[in-house]
Amino acid sequence: PVHLLSMEDLYPGWEGLAASAGLLHDWVLAPLARGQRPAWRRYDWERDRFAPTWTHLPMDPRGPGVLLVEGCGSGAASFLLDLLVWVHAPEPVRTRRLDLREDSELYAPHRRSWARQEAEFYATHHPQERADLLIVNP
């Protein structure tokens, strides 16, 4: 089985990119490394807080399977990952995709702040340089 976890579930608000890497480690990756079932609290963007309930990685009789974590913050330098994939898209492509999102109006006021956080994260953790696979989207 393949399970998907979006980092958008872990960002603690619009200024939370740096903190999300620690949450991914503490709530998901460290429990997995110990052979435990990971659980996380999804961030509720409308209420600006984490949900009170925990989301657990589904149990599957075939075993734990694969956990695919997508999003900025998932490639922090301190993580022991089986595979790190970097997907690069030029700025105009990323901007167009942001504009097409359902929540683009909600996101719009935070674009500069988020871009600053991304730049800081990339400068600290260098996920593109550490990637096992680089996908370039022209």
Side-chain angles (χ1 to χ4, degrees):
V2 177
H3 308 283
L4 177 64
L5 172 59
S6 173
M7 289 299 293
E8 288 189 13
D9 288 346
L10 300 180
Y11 301 136
W14 291 109
E15 293 294 324
L17 175 55
S20 68
L23 296 174
L24 176 61
H25 174 270
D26 294 348
W27 289 351
V28 179
L29 300 179
L32 276 174
R34 294 189 301 266
Q36 299 171 334
R37 186 176 176 200
W40 57 92
R41 291 173 49 210
R42 293 179 189 264
Y43 194 77
D44 184 333
W45 291 93
E46 291 179 15
R47 292 184 175 85
D48 196 25
R49 65 179 185 210
F50 281 104
T53 58
W54 290 85
T55 299
H56 296 271
L57 189 67
M59 297 297 284
D60 192 293
R62 297 170 289 171
V66 173
L67 177 62
L68 176 62
V69 182
E70 67 83 20
C72 187
S74 61
S78 61
F79 297 162
L80 295 175
L81 305 172
D82 292 326
L83 178 69
L84 177 58
V85 178
W86 178 269
V87 179
H88 173 79
E91 180 67 30
V93 172
R94 294 193 318 267
T95 299
R96 187 179 77 246
R97 288 179 182 169
L98 285 171
D99 290 341
L100 292 173
R101 285 179 57 139
E102 271 182 30
D103 60 354
S104 64
E105 289 181 24
L106 178 66
Y107 182 80
H110 305 283
R111 283 188 179 185
R112 281 192 181 150
S113 169
W114 196 259
R116 174 189 47 77
Q117 291 177 77
E118 285 179 333
E120 290 171 3
F121 181 86
Y122 299 150
T124 301
H125 296 280
H126 309 282
Q128 183 174 358
E129 291 84 5
R130 296 178 26 260
D132 300 292
L133 177 62
L134 177 63
I135 299 173
V136 178
N137 183 348

